[in-house]
Amino acid sequence: MVFPEYRPRRLRKNSAFRALISETHLRPDQFVFPLFVVPGKKIRQEIPSMPGIFRLSVDQLAAEARECLKLGIRAVILFGLPEKKDGVGSGAHAKNGIIQLAIRELKNTVPELLVITDVCLCEYTDHGHCGCLIDNEVDNDATLEILAKTALSHAEAGADMVAPSDMMDGRVAEIRAALDENNFQEVPIMSYAVKYASAFYGPFRDAADCAPQFGDRKSYQMDPANSREALREATLDVDEGADILIVKPAVAYVDIISRLREEFDLPVAAYHVSGEYAMIKAAAERGWIDGDKVMEETLLSIRRAGADIIITYCAKEMAKILAERR
Ligand code: PBG
C-alpha cells in the first residue's frame, strides 16, 4: 500500500479515530507507587531532588494509601530509613524495624492495598553497600542469609510481595527457600532481575540516605554497556523462582524491557527511577518542557517497550490526569 491509496492521516483526523486505533494504554492499576518511611511522628517531608515526593512517618501512611486507592493505584513499594545503621544491616530484619511497622500499619488500615517491600541492606548498613563486607568487599554468600531473614521478616509482618534489589547472586533461591520453609509459599517474589549500576539513582540515594560511603556498586549491579548479560540474569532469577522480573532503570533501558518481554513469559515490571523522575520535574520547573505531557509520553514509552507494570514516582500525578480525562 502506497500513497495516494494509503493515507495514514485518515485515521488521525480526530480524537475519536485516534482513540480507536490507540495501541498502548496507561491505567493506574499498572502503577506501583514508592513510599519512603521514616521514624518519628507527623513527618511529611518533601525530598528536595524529588518534588512532590515525601518522606512519611508511619502514622501518615494510611492517608497516603487511601489517596492512592482512590486514584486507582492498588500497590505500593516500601523503602525504610532506620533509626540506627550498622555494619550488617540488622535494622532490615528487626521485628519492630521501620518497614515491619509500616507493613503492619498499612495492612491494618488499608488491607486491600498490595504492600510490596524492597529487600536490600543499603539503607540499613553504615557503609551504604547492599550487603555485608568482608575485607571491604561485599560478600555475596554471607549477605544471602541476611537478605532471606529480611524477606521473611517482611512476610511475617504481612507483606503481600517481596522485591529483592541487592543484586547478590542466588538471592531469589535463598529467599524462596526461606519463605517456603516458613509457610509463605503464597508470597511472590518480584525480583530486580536486571538492575544496572546507574547514575539515575542519585536522588533516591539522598531520599533513602543510602549512598555507598566508599567505592561504588559496580561489583554487584550490571554494566550499562551490557544487554546479553541481562538475559542471563533474568534466566537465573526465573530458574530460582522469581514471579515477576524488574528492569531498572526504565527509559534508558527500553531495549532491555523489550528483550525481556520477548524472551520470557513472566510479567515484566520497569522501575522508572528517581533520576528519571527528577529530570522531568527539573526541566518542567524551568518551563523548558511540559511536565505532564513528557510524563505521559515517558510512561507510554515504557509500556510500549513491553512492561506490564511500572514502578514510578509519577503514579499519583498520572492517575489524576487520567481520571480528569474521563
Ligand atoms: C536499593 C535500591 C535503590 C533503588 C531502589 N532500591 C538504590 C541503589 O541501588 O542505589 C533506586 C530507586 C530509584 O532511584 O528510584 N538498593
Side-chain angles (χ1 to χ4, degrees):
M1 269 199 308
V2 288
F3 177 81
E5 287 88 68
Y6 183 57
R7 291 172 179 267
R9 288 186 56 187
R10 282 179 194 135
L11 296 181
R12 293 179 201 144
K13 206 166 3 200
N14 59 42
S15 78
F17 266 127
R18 293 192 290 271
L20 196 65
I21 63 158
S22 169
E23 299 173 26
T24 313
H25 301 97
L26 294 174
R27 293 196 329 251
D29 55 7
Q30 299 156 335
F31 301 151
V32 177
F33 188 57
L35 296 177
F36 296 98
V37 194
V38 290
K41 285 209 166 69
K42 296 195 175 149
I43 296 173
R44 190 178 165 81
Q45 175 189 50
E46 192 165 23
I47 299 158
S49 52
M50 301 176 73
I53 304 296
F54 296 80
R55 288 171 163 182
L56 303 172
S57 49
V58 171
D59 57 305
Q60 306 288 304
L61 292 174
E64 187 77 9
R66 288 195 188 98
E67 195 190 342
C68 286
L69 280 178
K70 224 167 147 186
L71 290 166
I73 300 159
R74 303 172 67 178
V76 295
I77 184 163
L78 302 183
F79 298 95
L81 286 89
E83 206 107 45
K84 273 196 279 163
K85 303 182 188 240
D86 62 21
V88 290
S90 315
H93 51 79
K95 194 161 191 303
N96 288 320
I98 186 77
I99 287 298
Q100 290 74 6
L101 293 174
I103 298 166
R104 279 187 226 119
E105 169 71 7
L106 283 169
K107 292 318 290 183
N108 280 336
T109 52
V110 256
E112 66 273 39
L113 183 81
L114 284 183
V115 174
I116 307 169
T117 57
D118 187 84
V119 176
C120 195
L121 303 183
C122 62
E123 294 118 278
Y124 304 90
T125 52
D126 48 18
H127 45 75
H129 279 288
C130 301
C132 58
L133 304 178
I134 296 185
D135 294 335
N136 271 356
E137 294 282 343
V138 176
D139 189 84
N140 193 87
D141 296 12
T143 301
L144 293 181
E145 200 185 316
I146 312 174
L147 291 168
K149 247 177 154 172
T150 302
L152 182 59
S153 78
H154 293 174
E156 281 166 350
D160 294 293
M161 178 150 75
V162 293
S165 73
D166 52 284
M167 287 299 276
M168 297 304 122
D169 297 333
R171 89 274 206 213
V172 173
E174 191 89 5
I175 290 172
R176 187 69 271 160
L179 292 174
D180 289 358
E181 275 161 27
N182 290 279
N183 264 323
F184 292 107
Q185 295 90 340
E186 299 294 329
V187 173
I189 300 176
M190 176 162 88
S191 165
Y192 288 77
V194 184
K195 177 172 175 182
Y196 287 91
S198 169
F200 285 103
Y201 308 150
F204 175 95
R205 288 180 189 173
D206 293 336
D209 184 26
C210 69
Q213 296 304 301
F214 66 90
D216 53 40
R217 303 211 204 287
K218 287 181 187 163
S219 75
Y220 40 105
Q221 299 180 346
M222 277 182 56
D223 181 348
N226 294 354
S227 54
R228 292 193 304 269
E229 190 186 355
L231 301 183
R232 293 199 295 278
E233 276 285 2
T235 302
L236 275 172
D237 284 13
V238 172
D239 292 348
E240 290 178 31
D243 298 278
I244 298 177
L245 302 170
I246 306 181
V247 175
K248 176 182 174 185
V251 183
Y253 299 87
V254 279
D255 58 322
I256 307 298
I257 297 173
S258 129
R259 285 192 77 177
L260 252 66
R261 175 68 296 145
E262 274 168 33
E263 303 281 340
F264 300 92
D265 48 17
L266 289 181
V268 172
Y271 199 139
H272 177 231
V273 301
S274 57
E276 301 180 281
Y277 174 80
M279 288 195 310
I280 299 178
K281 287 289 164 193
E285 228 170 74
R286 293 185 166 202
W288 289 354
I289 59 171
D290 179 328
D292 287 358
K293 289 200 174 120
V294 169
M295 188 197 308
E296 180 167 14
E297 196 174 323
T298 301
L299 297 175
L300 273 176
S301 77
I302 297 168
R303 290 270 303 144
R304 203 179 58 236
D308 304 290
I309 302 160
I310 310 178
I311 306 166
T312 177
Y313 304 98
C314 300
K316 278 167 48 185
E317 273 180 274
M318 192 63 235
K320 275 180 205 154
I321 295 170
L322 293 170
E324 279 161 17
R325 196 170 290 163
R326 263 190 284 123

